[in-house]
């Protein structure tokens, strides 16, 4: 629009109704008449709160000992500061935790990619990881639920020797961890105890597995063992 403000002066106004992706980053106003022309340039610096155009995977499962890599791409102006968290606790770079900006072969304006890497993951690295991007206009965040898979380990063993009273009941208990969760097989000597064997009952509760001999008899004597197994291995 224009507004005459004198015999020889006119004010010209250009309004951008909504700044968007197609809004140019520079513009020029050129005033001219039959005698000549004059020009004025303006640079347009667009700002925006952070947007995660690429997020880490929401759910990840990796075997123990593997490297874990989480990546995100952030669109922000001014550039966002990036923080990584595990189970709500802020993380810092170390020999095992590498936090870096990824150098893009073809950079995109106001867009940066960041990576978080865990070297040789252990089972303790399982948890919920979160990336938070912040600038003066706002923040964006995304999370990833990481599970580290490992072969079973026995956390509470059976006693080497046990005594039981005839006609009484007797219970064995063993504790085992694993990811995926292990299954437990019970053996008397080298014969697996069937789930349909009415002389025994088995129970699984959290990480505690039990075998109950309903009634002790002479034939109950022997060497018992529990074998925990999943697709990654076994322990007994």
């Amino acid at each position: 629009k224009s507004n005459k403000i004198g015999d020889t002066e006119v004010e010209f106004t250009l309004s951008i109704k909504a700044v968007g992706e197609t809004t140019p980053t520079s513009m020029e106003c050129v005033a001219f008449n039959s005698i000549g022309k004059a020009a004025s340039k303006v640079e347009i610096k667009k700002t925006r709160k952070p947007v995660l155009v690429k997020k880490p995977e929401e759910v990840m499962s990796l075997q123990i000992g593997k490297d874990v890599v989480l990546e995100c791409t952030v669109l922000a102006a001014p550039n966002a500061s990036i923080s990584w968290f595990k189970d709500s606790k802020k993380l810092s770079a170390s020999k095992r935790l590498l936090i870096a900006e990824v150098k893009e072969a073809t950079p995109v304006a106001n867009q940066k990619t960041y990576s978080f890497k865990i070297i040789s993951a252990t089972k303790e690295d399982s948890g919920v990881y979160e990336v938070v991007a912040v600038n003066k206009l706002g923040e964006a965040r995304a999370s990833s639920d990481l599970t580290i898979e490992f072969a079973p380990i026995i956390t509470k063993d059976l006693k080497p020797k046990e005594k039981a009273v005839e006609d009484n009941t007797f219970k064995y208990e063993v504790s085992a961890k694993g990811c995926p969760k292990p299954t437990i097989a019970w053996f008397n000597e080298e014969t697996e105890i069937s789930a349909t064997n009415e002389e025994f009952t088995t129970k699984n509760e959290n990480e505690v597995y039990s075998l109950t001999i309903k009634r002790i008899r002479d034939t109950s004597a022997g060497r018992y063992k529990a074998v925990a197994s999943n697709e990654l291995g076994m322990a007994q």
Side-chain angles (χ1 to χ4, degrees):
K1 65 181 181 180
S2 60
N3 178 35
K4 187 176 180 181
I5 56 176
D7 291 339
T8 60
E9 292 180 276
V10 179
E11 180 183 72
F12 298 92
T13 305
L14 172 70
S15 297
I16 301 171
K17 293 181 178 180
V19 176
E21 297 296 339
T22 59
T23 303
T25 56
S26 66
M27 300 186 75
E28 184 177 26
C29 174
V30 180
F32 59 91
N33 61 15
S34 59
I35 304 301
K37 66 179 182 179
S40 176
K41 288 185 177 181
V42 60
E43 298 295 324
I44 300 174
K45 187 176 181 181
K46 293 184 281 186
T47 60
R48 65 188 309 158
K49 66 180 182 180
V51 176
L52 290 171
V53 296
K54 176 186 174 184
K55 300 179 181 180
E57 293 183 47
E58 291 185 2
V59 179
M60 294 183 66
S61 294
L62 290 173
Q63 290 185 16
I64 192 169
K66 299 287 187 180
D67 292 347
V68 180
V69 179
L70 303 178
E71 278 194 353
C72 70
T73 301
V74 183
L75 181 61
N79 289 333
S81 60
I82 304 298
S83 299
W84 294 89
F85 298 82
K86 177 181 182 284
D87 298 330
S88 300
K89 182 180 179 180
K90 189 174 181 179
L91 299 171
S92 300
S94 65
K95 290 183 178 179
R96 288 189 62 245
L97 304 181
L98 308 181
I99 300 173
E101 179 185 334
V102 179
K103 299 300 181 183
E104 300 285 2
T106 308
V108 177
N110 301 322
Q111 186 169 296
K112 293 182 181 293
T113 297
Y114 302 89
S115 70
F116 174 82
K117 185 174 184 179
I118 303 173
I119 304 296
S120 300
T122 68
K123 58 182 181 293
E124 288 77 17
D125 290 320
S126 292
V128 177
Y129 290 80
E130 187 176 35
V131 58
V132 181
V134 180
N135 69 10
K136 63 183 181 181
L137 300 176
E139 69 173 41
R141 57 182 64 213
S143 61
S144 179
D145 192 345
L146 174 65
T147 300
I148 302 301
E149 299 178 341
F150 59 96
I153 55 174
I154 302 297
T155 55
K156 178 186 176 184
D157 207 345
L158 301 175
K159 293 180 181 179
K161 290 185 179 182
E162 295 276 18
K163 291 183 179 181
V165 179
E166 193 171 9
D167 293 329
N168 286 0
T169 60
F170 184 83
K171 180 188 284 188
Y172 281 112
E173 281 190 347
V174 64
S175 298
K177 289 183 178 181
C179 184
K181 185 178 180 179
T183 58
I184 300 292
W186 291 92
F187 293 80
N188 182 358
E189 300 300 342
E190 295 303 318
T191 302
E192 185 174 355
I193 298 171
S194 170
T196 60
N197 191 325
E198 295 183 354
E199 295 182 23
F200 304 90
T201 58
T202 59
K203 187 177 181 181
N204 303 339
E205 192 170 295
N206 295 326
E207 296 173 354
V208 179
Y209 303 84
S210 64
L211 172 74
T212 299
I213 306 172
K214 295 180 180 178
R215 181 185 174 193
I216 297 296
R217 303 172 184 175
D218 289 343
T219 56
S220 302
R223 183 173 179 83
Y224 289 80
K225 69 177 178 181
V227 178
S229 60
N230 65 16
E231 60 192 48
L232 299 179
M234 58 174 285
Q236 66 180 37

